[in-house]
Amino acid sequence: MAMENSIDVIIKREPQEQEEQEVNFNSSYTEIDDNIKPLNVKREEEINSFLNEQKFHIKEECDYFGLQIKQESDWNDVDQTHSPPSSSIVASTDIIQTTVKSDYSHQMLSKDTNMWKDENPEHSNYTMNCDEQEQFKHSEKVPQIFKQASKCLRKIIENGSNIKETVYSQRKHINLRAMYALVSKTVQNYSQINDIIARAELLVKETRFDPWLARILVTQLLWSDNGLNGQCRPIEIIKSYQSKLERYAGSNMSVQARVYKPRYVRVNTFALTVDEAIDGFTNEGWEFVEHAGDDYSTFVEQTTSLHSGQFMLDLHIKELLIFSDKAELYNHETFKCKSIFLQDKASCIPVHLLNPTPGTVVLNMCAAPGLKTIFLAERLQNKGTVYAVERDENRYHTLTSLINETGATCIKPIHKDVLKVSAEECPNVEYILINPICSGSGIIDRINVDQVNTVNHDRLTKLIRFQTLLLEHALSQFPQAKRVVYSTSSIHWQENEYVVRNALKKMTDFKLISPDAALNHTFVNICPNQCFKAIQKKCVYTVPKRDLTNAIFVAVFERKREVDASATSTGTRGWLSRHRTYKRNSKEMSRETDQDYQRDFQEDFVETTKSRRKEY
């Protein structure tokens, strides 16, 4: 039975970037009056018959456009069990009604008869019956914080995205801090939440429930002090399982040990001197605490015991103030006007160890978002040049915006792939800072993240390859560079010592230097593993529980005074030259490193032999 007439349904979906996206599709399943009038009995039999034949085709079309249709037994109901998107088709024996849900009230078809009459003045005398009014009743909308949090959670889990960047990119949501806390808590307890949901059979029985939204709502129910409040359909479903969820969570709930980290505040010396910053906070009622001594363990103990109204200077970095973790400085006027920065100590250490002198030229190879870049300019006292390279367009705009707000005049931002940046484009570079993209496994926010930070070997391999290319590019392409600092926020040796060792084998005109002098010989450096001992004793490792910062690895390279040019050859025949260089420098390596190198040398030799055989 062919139906020639059709209706044009306009589906208004949730606005993206404050603009509506409208999708039109034609449904030829029935002939219907455009003014939505009741149908006679004869026509309803015809329509119902055709609907039974075409309902699967309708479902396929609706799935394509993101619509949700309930099972045949619940054909007359409309709900929001799936939060995204908020659209549904309603069909009944009395009326075929296309209902469009939207997050904006002026886009909704209301159950209010008067509003319907205002939208259809030609039918001002029409009166809805009870059944028709019931169909216009929609459940309360899912709160935006839960909807956006579920989208962020999916992106973090499936793509390995950074938690903070993912959440704070949702700029149209007002309470980003609350959403960040909710997403972080969900990620930290991810497998535990999955186990609770599985044991309660929530997703087994509620087959159309968005699993990402379910995880967010379960987190809010079980871990939030405020509980789960609301009247929307998804929240009501979660509440109906509350007793089961709490029962299964009772035996499975784990309390993770919290790593104490104070609030670090770096003074922008373009705006304030450190003494002026100390005086300003003191005048506001803060208590400045003097160091009890130069001993590192005493300093750490003193930092841990800071009260909410106290602050002190860092033992190593003169521009860094330390407050209690309870200090709220986001709304402080000095923070708003960029006179201070909330920057972790671990993030400041690489710049401190590079320590460029005023009047020199510095290259920051991974410059965004910009706090390290600004710190470099401060150390130069705006005398000299800082080339700040960033490839990503959004991060580049963030970098330039920060530069313009801080008073730094010696920074030259470059929007380009850093591997394509040469000494001709950035002449006379003497100091290079490399803080490449890494796994971020040392950041406290991610240390206890469940399942997300399990080692992904494919991703780790790609990171190592890029990090190695970046370090070798810095050591080989800038002939006037005399000091290069390589750092990561990773706890994986593959991204740290392994990359450094490989660079030292190829770039023999550089050596590692000890950071002890730059840290006033007070920093206690404990190697996290027993491999690469010759390298580890000259690198910096921060451990969150011991040093009260994020974990960081830093290696400082310095150019040798005499360079053997023959030792820098590379390519298929370069293995022999590297082996000879290794023999001359073997005294600097421990037995473990020697064995590692010999193994790599044998593998290199085999691969070179195979390539030569192929050539012939």
Side-chain angles (χ1 to χ4, degrees):
M1 178 173 51
M3 295 294 170
E4 297 179 355
N5 296 331
S6 66
I7 58 171
D8 193 29
V9 182
I10 299 178
I11 306 165
K12 291 190 182 288
R13 309 180 76 178
E14 185 171 352
Q16 301 291 334
E17 302 296 331
Q18 304 300 324
E19 295 181 359
E20 296 178 0
Q21 295 182 354
E22 296 187 353
V23 181
N24 297 319
F25 78 91
N26 293 321
S27 174
S28 59
Y29 58 81
T30 188
E31 179 180 4
I32 185 171
D33 188 286
D34 290 336
N35 299 321
I36 316 178
K37 294 180 179 179
L39 302 172
N40 57 48
V41 176
K42 184 177 180 180
R43 287 292 296 151
E44 84 182 25
E45 292 176 357
E46 183 179 343
I47 291 169
N48 287 334
S49 175
F50 188 78
L51 281 175
N52 289 331
E53 295 175 3
Q54 296 294 321
K55 61 183 179 182
F56 293 107
H57 298 290
I58 296 170
K59 184 179 187 302
E60 290 177 357
E61 284 184 313
C62 292
D63 286 342
Y64 179 79
F65 289 102
L67 294 171
Q68 304 298 331
I69 298 182
K70 292 184 72 70
Q71 301 297 322
E72 184 176 2
S73 59
D74 299 319
W75 197 255
N76 297 328
D77 297 333
V78 180
D79 65 25
Q80 280 186 313
T81 303
H82 272 288
S83 58
S86 50
S87 303
S88 299
I89 287 185
V90 181
S92 77
T93 57
D94 294 325
I95 183 171
I96 302 293
Q97 171 66 57
T98 301
T99 304
V100 179
K101 295 182 183 178
S102 170
D103 289 334
Y104 295 90
S105 58
H106 67 276
Q107 296 171 356
M108 296 178 65
L109 290 177
S110 173
K111 64 180 181 180
D112 191 331
T113 304
N114 293 329
M115 181 178 291
W116 185 84
K117 290 179 180 179
D118 291 339
E119 294 174 356
N120 301 273
E122 66 274 19
H123 298 288
S124 58
N125 296 325
Y126 177 73
T127 303
M128 292 183 179
N129 58 40
C130 295
D131 291 338
E132 291 169 349
Q133 291 183 25
E134 186 66 26
Q135 290 178 21
F136 278 89
K137 290 183 180 179
H138 307 309
S139 62
E140 182 182 309
K141 295 180 293 183
V142 177
Q144 279 293 316
I145 187 171
F146 298 143
K147 294 175 68 175
Q148 296 298 328
S150 66
K151 294 177 182 178
C152 292
L153 178 64
R154 181 173 186 173
K155 188 175 181 181
I156 292 164
I157 300 298
E158 292 186 345
N159 302 333
S161 303
N162 178 279
I163 298 176
K164 184 168 289 187
E165 288 183 1
T166 302
V167 172
Y168 280 87
S169 65
Q170 311 294 320
R171 300 189 182 278
K172 59 184 178 181
H173 194 279
I174 298 175
N175 197 349
L176 290 176
R177 291 184 64 188
M179 187 162 73
Y180 175 72
L182 177 59
V183 174
S184 298
K185 181 62 69 175
T186 307
V187 173
Q188 289 171 355
N189 300 281
Y190 187 70
S191 65
Q192 188 176 348
I193 292 169
N194 286 343
D195 182 62
I196 295 170
I197 291 175
R199 294 176 67 185
E201 298 184 338
L202 191 153
L203 297 179
V204 174
K205 296 178 179 178
E206 307 294 336
T207 56
R208 299 190 307 113
F209 205 115
D210 181 0
W212 303 104
L213 180 60
R215 295 180 179 108
I216 291 292
L217 296 180
V218 168
T219 301
Q220 180 70 20
L221 175 69
L222 299 179
W223 275 273
S224 173
D225 294 336
N226 298 325
L228 181 61
N229 301 310
Q231 301 285 320
C232 66
R233 181 66 174 156
I235 290 179
E236 289 178 347
I237 291 176
I238 294 296
K239 286 182 177 180
S240 70
Y241 285 82
Q242 183 169 354
S243 59
K244 282 187 177 182
L245 293 171
E246 291 178 345
R247 182 169 69 252
Y248 294 130
S251 59
N252 203 23
M253 191 80 76
S254 61
V255 179
Q256 297 175 345
R258 179 175 178 269
V259 178
Y260 175 82
K261 189 177 75 169
R263 183 79 67 190
Y264 291 99
V265 174
R266 184 173 65 77
V267 178
N268 178 3
T269 55
F270 292 141
L272 296 170
T273 66
V274 176
D275 289 339
E276 287 173 343
I278 293 174
D279 291 341
F281 282 114
T282 303
N283 292 336
E284 290 181 0
W286 297 84
E287 178 187 354
F288 180 69
V289 179
E290 298 283 352
H291 289 169
D294 293 335
D295 179 68
Y296 185 67
S297 58
T298 303
F299 164 74
V300 171
E301 183 179 349
Q302 194 173 7
T303 302
T304 308
S305 61
L306 282 175
H307 299 305
S308 57
Q310 296 179 325
F311 73 107
M312 61 188 293
L313 267 174
D314 183 67
L315 184 62
H316 305 110
I317 301 172
K318 62 183 179 181
E319 300 92 343
L320 202 61
L321 304 178
I322 308 174
F323 290 75
S324 163
D325 64 337
K326 304 295 183 183
E328 293 289 344
L329 298 169
Y330 292 102
N331 294 320
H332 199 277
E333 192 59 36
T334 53
F335 175 74
K336 292 180 179 179
C337 67
K338 300 296 189 295
S339 294
I340 62 171
F341 300 107
L342 303 182
Q343 185 174 4
D344 189 74
K345 180 178 180 178
S347 178
C348 300
I349 290 177
V351 176
H352 178 72
L353 294 181
L354 185 64
N355 196 27
T357 56
T360 58
V361 180
V362 182
L363 172 62
N364 188 356
M365 300 186 79
C366 305
L371 289 181
K372 293 186 183 70
T373 304
I374 302 300
F375 195 14
L376 286 169
E378 292 176 30
R379 284 294 175 97
L380 291 182
Q381 301 173 14
N382 264 340
K383 299 175 182 178
T385 304
V386 177
Y387 291 108
V389 184
E390 178 55 50
R391 182 181 66 175
D392 183 82
E393 184 174 356
N394 292 332
R395 290 170 62 84
Y396 176 77
H397 290 315
T398 301
L399 171 67
T400 54
S401 176
L402 184 63
I403 292 172
N404 295 332
E405 294 176 350
T406 54
T409 59
C410 67
I411 300 174
K412 294 184 178 180
I414 300 174
H415 186 201
K416 191 175 182 179
D417 183 350
V418 70
L419 293 175
K420 297 179 181 179
V421 174
S422 64
E424 289 75 21
E425 188 173 0
C426 301
N428 304 319
V429 171
E430 298 179 64
Y431 299 91
I432 301 177
L433 178 64
I434 311 170
N435 186 224
I437 182 174
C438 66
S439 63
S441 53
I443 300 175
I444 286 181
D445 290 342
R446 301 189 220 174
I447 283 181
N448 294 321
V449 169
D450 189 17
Q451 289 192 355
V452 175
N453 275 332
T454 54
V455 179
N456 184 324
H457 293 287
D458 291 338
R459 181 170 183 263
L460 201 59
T461 300
K462 293 178 181 179
L463 288 173
I464 294 167
R465 188 179 296 115
F466 173 72
Q467 292 157 354
T468 302
L469 286 173
L470 209 59
L471 181 54
E472 292 179 0
H473 184 73
L475 297 176
S476 62
Q477 299 302 313
F478 301 91
Q480 296 187 42
K482 57 185 180 182
R483 184 176 298 164
V484 177
V485 167
Y486 172 82
S487 69
T488 74
S489 298
S490 173
I491 60 174
H492 301 312
W493 60 267
Q494 295 95 327
E495 298 179 85
N496 300 333
E497 298 95 334
Y498 182 78
V499 171
V500 169
R501 188 201 64 177
N502 288 343
L504 286 173
K505 289 193 300 183
K506 292 183 179 181
M507 308 301 165
T508 55
D509 47 348
F510 280 88
K511 64 179 180 180
L512 287 180
I513 63 170
S514 173
D516 290 347
L519 297 174
N520 301 323
H521 301 279
T522 57
F523 188 78
V524 177
N525 203 29
I526 300 177
C527 301
N529 54 65
Q530 297 302 313
C531 301
F532 309 104
K533 287 184 179 179
I535 292 175
Q536 288 181 340
K537 65 183 180 181
K538 293 184 178 180
C539 297
V540 172
Y541 302 83
T542 60
V543 180
K545 288 185 179 180
R546 184 196 70 208
D547 302 309
L548 311 180
T549 71
N550 289 323
I552 196 169
F553 168 85
V554 187
V556 183
F557 295 80
E558 197 167 87
R559 189 180 293 273
K560 297 177 182 178
R561 293 181 180 179
E562 296 180 2
V563 179
D564 184 357
S566 64
T568 61
S569 60
T570 57
T572 57
R573 301 178 187 275
W575 62 270
L576 182 59
S577 176
R578 294 199 299 273
H579 182 55
R580 289 171 179 167
T581 303
Y582 159 76
K583 285 294 185 182
R584 288 195 294 271
N585 299 327
S586 59
K587 292 182 181 180
E588 298 180 8
M589 297 187 179
S590 65
R591 181 175 299 177
E592 292 84 352
T593 307
D594 184 276
Q595 292 173 351
D596 291 337
Y597 182 82
Q598 292 289 2
R599 183 182 65 253
D600 290 349
F601 170 74
Q602 292 296 332
E603 294 174 354
D604 194 4
F605 176 80
V606 171
E607 291 176 0
T608 305
T609 304
K610 289 181 179 179
S611 64
R612 286 179 176 176
R613 286 177 180 174
K614 289 181 180 179
E615 292 175 1
Y616 290 102

PDB file of all heavy atoms in Angstrom, residues 289-306:
ATOM      1  N   VAL A 289      55.973  32.016  56.854  1.00  0.00           N
ATOM      2  CA  VAL A 289      56.739  31.089  57.686  1.00  0.00           C
ATOM      3  C   VAL A 289      58.170  31.008  57.171  1.00  0.00           C
ATOM      4  O   VAL A 289      58.393  30.711  55.990  1.00  0.00           O
ATOM      5  CB  VAL A 289      56.095  29.685  57.672  1.00  0.00           C
ATOM      6  CG1 VAL A 289      56.923  28.717  58.523  1.00  0.00           C
ATOM      7  CG2 VAL A 289      54.652  29.756  58.159  1.00  0.00           C
ATOM      8  N   GLU A 290      59.125  31.294  58.045  1.00  0.00           N
ATOM      9  CA  GLU A 290      60.534  31.207  57.672  1.00  0.00           C
ATOM     10  C   GLU A 290      60.990  29.743  57.638  1.00  0.00           C
ATOM     11  O   GLU A 290      60.443  28.894  58.334  1.00  0.00           O
ATOM     12  CB  GLU A 290      61.395  31.988  58.672  1.00  0.00           C
ATOM     13  CG  GLU A 290      61.086  33.481  58.741  1.00  0.00           C
ATOM     14  CD  GLU A 290      61.681  34.243  57.564  1.00  0.00           C
ATOM     15  OE1 GLU A 290      62.453  33.625  56.787  1.00  0.00           O
ATOM     16  OE2 GLU A 290      61.368  35.446  57.431  1.00  0.00           O
ATOM     17  N   HIS A 291      62.014  29.477  56.828  1.00  0.00           N
ATOM     18  CA  HIS A 291      62.583  28.126  56.783  1.00  0.00           C
ATOM     19  C   HIS A 291      63.232  27.773  58.115  1.00  0.00           C
ATOM     20  O   HIS A 291      63.924  28.591  58.721  1.00  0.00           O
ATOM     21  CB  HIS A 291      63.634  28.016  55.677  1.00  0.00           C
ATOM     22  CG  HIS A 291      63.035  28.047  54.293  1.00  0.00           C
ATOM     23  ND1 HIS A 291      63.802  28.181  53.157  1.00  0.00           N
ATOM     24  CD2 HIS A 291      61.756  27.958  53.869  1.00  0.00           C
ATOM     25  CE1 HIS A 291      63.010  28.174  52.099  1.00  0.00           C
ATOM     26  NE2 HIS A 291      61.765  28.049  52.518  1.00  0.00           N
ATOM     27  N   ALA A 292      63.008  26.554  58.542  1.00  0.00           N
ATOM     28  CA  ALA A 292      63.625  26.098  59.788  1.00  0.00           C
ATOM     29  C   ALA A 292      65.072  25.684  59.568  1.00  0.00           C
ATOM     30  O   ALA A 292      65.826  25.504  60.514  1.00  0.00           O
ATOM     31  CB  ALA A 292      62.836  24.924  60.356  1.00  0.00           C
ATOM     32  N   GLY A 293      65.478  25.520  58.309  1.00  0.00           N
ATOM     33  CA  GLY A 293      66.850  25.132  57.986  1.00  0.00           C
ATOM     34  C   GLY A 293      66.953  24.755  56.522  1.00  0.00           C
ATOM     35  O   GLY A 293      65.973  24.799  55.775  1.00  0.00           O
ATOM     36  N   ASP A 294      68.170  24.386  56.086  1.00  0.00           N
ATOM     37  CA  ASP A 294      68.396  24.029  54.690  1.00  0.00           C
ATOM     38  C   ASP A 294      68.277  22.535  54.440  1.00  0.00           C
ATOM     39  O   ASP A 294      68.454  22.091  53.300  1.00  0.00           O
ATOM     40  CB  ASP A 294      69.793  24.507  54.252  1.00  0.00           C
ATOM     41  CG  ASP A 294      69.884  26.034  54.220  1.00  0.00           C
ATOM     42  OD1 ASP A 294      68.825  26.668  54.054  1.00  0.00           O
ATOM     43  OD2 ASP A 294      70.994  26.565  54.366  1.00  0.00           O
ATOM     44  N   ASP A 295      68.006  21.772  55.471  1.00  0.00           N
ATOM     45  CA  ASP A 295      67.864  20.331  55.302  1.00  0.00           C
ATOM     46  C   ASP A 295      66.572  20.028  54.533  1.00  0.00           C
ATOM     47  O   ASP A 295      65.502  20.561  54.861  1.00  0.00           O
ATOM     48  CB  ASP A 295      67.831  19.647  56.665  1.00  0.00           C
ATOM     49  CG  ASP A 295      67.670  18.152  56.541  1.00  0.00           C
ATOM     50  OD1 ASP A 295      68.598  17.493  56.051  1.00  0.00           O
ATOM     51  OD2 ASP A 295      66.590  17.640  56.912  1.00  0.00           O
ATOM     52  N   TYR A 296      66.673  19.149  53.517  1.00  0.00           N
ATOM     53  CA  TYR A 296      65.532  18.904  52.644  1.00  0.00           C
ATOM     54  C   TYR A 296      64.384  18.210  53.367  1.00  0.00           C
ATOM     55  O   TYR A 296      63.222  18.564  53.196  1.00  0.00           O
ATOM     56  CB  TYR A 296      65.966  18.062  51.435  1.00  0.00           C
ATOM     57  CG  TYR A 296      64.870  17.868  50.413  1.00  0.00           C
ATOM     58  CD1 TYR A 296      64.388  18.944  49.676  1.00  0.00           C
ATOM     59  CD2 TYR A 296      64.299  16.624  50.188  1.00  0.00           C
ATOM     60  CE1 TYR A 296      63.380  18.790  48.746  1.00  0.00           C
ATOM     61  CE2 TYR A 296      63.284  16.457  49.261  1.00  0.00           C
ATOM     62  CZ  TYR A 296      62.834  17.544  48.536  1.00  0.00           C
ATOM     63  OH  TYR A 296      61.826  17.389  47.619  1.00  0.00           O
ATOM     64  N   SER A 297      64.685  17.234  54.191  1.00  0.00           N
ATOM     65  CA  SER A 297      63.620  16.526  54.906  1.00  0.00           C
ATOM     66  C   SER A 297      62.887  17.457  55.866  1.00  0.00           C
ATOM     67  O   SER A 297      61.661  17.369  56.025  1.00  0.00           O
ATOM     68  CB  SER A 297      64.210  15.332  55.676  1.00  0.00           C
ATOM     69  OG  SER A 297      65.202  15.762  56.598  1.00  0.00           O
ATOM     70  N   THR A 298      63.612  18.383  56.483  1.00  0.00           N
ATOM     71  CA  THR A 298      62.980  19.371  57.360  1.00  0.00           C
ATOM     72  C   THR A 298      62.068  20.293  56.558  1.00  0.00           C
ATOM     73  O   THR A 298      60.965  20.645  56.996  1.00  0.00           O
ATOM     74  CB  THR A 298      64.050  20.201  58.090  1.00  0.00           C
ATOM     75  OG1 THR A 298      64.910  19.328  58.824  1.00  0.00           O
ATOM     76  CG2 THR A 298      63.402  21.201  59.038  1.00  0.00           C
ATOM     77  N   PHE A 299      62.537  20.688  55.372  1.00  0.00           N
ATOM     78  CA  PHE A 299      61.741  21.543  54.501  1.00  0.00           C
ATOM     79  C   PHE A 299      60.433  20.852  54.096  1.00  0.00           C
ATOM     80  O   PHE A 299      59.364  21.458  54.135  1.00  0.00           O
ATOM     81  CB  PHE A 299      62.561  21.909  53.263  1.00  0.00           C
ATOM     82  CG  PHE A 299      61.746  22.459  52.124  1.00  0.00           C
ATOM     83  CD1 PHE A 299      61.232  23.744  52.180  1.00  0.00           C
ATOM     84  CD2 PHE A 299      61.481  21.679  51.008  1.00  0.00           C
ATOM     85  CE1 PHE A 299      60.466  24.247  51.125  1.00  0.00           C
ATOM     86  CE2 PHE A 299      60.725  22.172  49.953  1.00  0.00           C
ATOM     87  CZ  PHE A 299      60.216  23.461  50.023  1.00  0.00           C
ATOM     88  N   VAL A 300      60.502  19.579  53.719  1.00  0.00           N
ATOM     89  CA  VAL A 300      59.303  18.839  53.321  1.00  0.00           C
ATOM     90  C   VAL A 300      58.338  18.719  54.495  1.00  0.00           C
ATOM     91  O   VAL A 300      57.123  18.904  54.353  1.00  0.00           O
ATOM     92  CB  VAL A 300      59.680  17.443  52.789  1.00  0.00           C
ATOM     93  CG1 VAL A 300      58.431  16.591  52.575  1.00  0.00           C
ATOM     94  CG2 VAL A 300      60.462  17.566  51.487  1.00  0.00           C
ATOM     95  N   GLU A 301      58.868  18.430  55.664  1.00  0.00           N
ATOM     96  CA  GLU A 301      58.021  18.313  56.859  1.00  0.00           C
ATOM     97  C   GLU A 301      57.354  19.640  57.186  1.00  0.00           C
ATOM     98  O   GLU A 301      56.171  19.686  57.552  1.00  0.00           O
ATOM     99  CB  GLU A 301      58.876  17.837  58.034  1.00  0.00           C
ATOM    100  CG  GLU A 301      58.092  17.612  59.314  1.00  0.00           C
ATOM    101  CD  GLU A 301      58.968  17.114  60.447  1.00  0.00           C
ATOM    102  OE1 GLU A 301      60.127  16.743  60.187  1.00  0.00           O
ATOM    103  OE2 GLU A 301      58.495  17.107  61.605  1.00  0.00           O
ATOM    104  N   GLN A 302      58.093  20.725  57.024  1.00  0.00           N
ATOM    105  CA  GLN A 302      57.554  22.047  57.300  1.00  0.00           C
ATOM    106  C   GLN A 302      56.461  22.405  56.289  1.00  0.00           C
ATOM    107  O   GLN A 302      55.439  23.012  56.635  1.00  0.00           O
ATOM    108  CB  GLN A 302      58.684  23.082  57.246  1.00  0.00           C
ATOM    109  CG  GLN A 302      58.339  24.432  57.841  1.00  0.00           C
ATOM    110  CD  GLN A 302      59.555  25.343  57.897  1.00  0.00           C
ATOM    111  OE1 GLN A 302      60.625  25.022  57.375  1.00  0.00           O
ATOM    112  NE2 GLN A 302      59.392  26.493  58.532  1.00  0.00           N
ATOM    113  N   THR A 303      56.660  22.014  55.044  1.00  0.00           N
ATOM    114  CA  THR A 303      55.658  22.261  54.005  1.00  0.00           C
ATOM    115  C   THR A 303      54.368  21.511  54.299  1.00  0.00           C
ATOM    116  O   THR A 303      53.269  22.041  54.143  1.00  0.00           O
ATOM    117  CB  THR A 303      56.210  21.834  52.631  1.00  0.00           C
ATOM    118  OG1 THR A 303      57.418  22.549  52.352  1.00  0.00           O
ATOM    119  CG2 THR A 303      55.191  22.101  51.529  1.00  0.00           C
ATOM    120  N   THR A 304      54.502  20.276  54.750  1.00  0.00           N
ATOM    121  CA  THR A 304      53.329  19.452  55.053  1.00  0.00           C
ATOM    122  C   THR A 304      52.507  20.021  56.201  1.00  0.00           C
ATOM    123  O   THR A 304      51.284  19.865  56.241  1.00  0.00           O
ATOM    124  CB  THR A 304      53.768  18.022  55.391  1.00  0.00           C
ATOM    125  OG1 THR A 304      54.611  17.532  54.360  1.00  0.00           O
ATOM    126  CG2 THR A 304      52.578  17.094  55.535  1.00  0.00           C
ATOM    127  N   SER A 305      53.164  20.701  57.121  1.00  0.00           N
ATOM    128  CA  SER A 305      52.485  21.195  58.322  1.00  0.00           C
ATOM    129  C   SER A 305      51.927  22.611  58.173  1.00  0.00           C
ATOM    130  O   SER A 305      51.456  23.194  59.152  1.00  0.00           O
ATOM    131  CB  SER A 305      53.451  21.162  59.510  1.00  0.00           C
ATOM    132  OG  SER A 305      54.577  21.994  59.270  1.00  0.00           O
ATOM    133  N   LEU A 306      51.962  23.184  56.957  1.00  0.00           N
ATOM    134  CA  LEU A 306      51.417  24.525  56.757  1.00  0.00           C
ATOM    135  C   LEU A 306      49.923  24.558  57.065  1.00  0.00           C
ATOM    136  O   LEU A 306      49.173  23.683  56.622  1.00  0.00           O
ATOM    137  CB  LEU A 306      51.643  24.983  55.313  1.00  0.00           C
ATOM    138  CG  LEU A 306      53.041  25.480  54.928  1.00  0.00           C
ATOM    139  CD1 LEU A 306      53.097  25.761  53.433  1.00  0.00           C
ATOM    140  CD2 LEU A 306      53.430  26.719  55.710  1.00  0.00           C
TER     141      LEU A 306
END
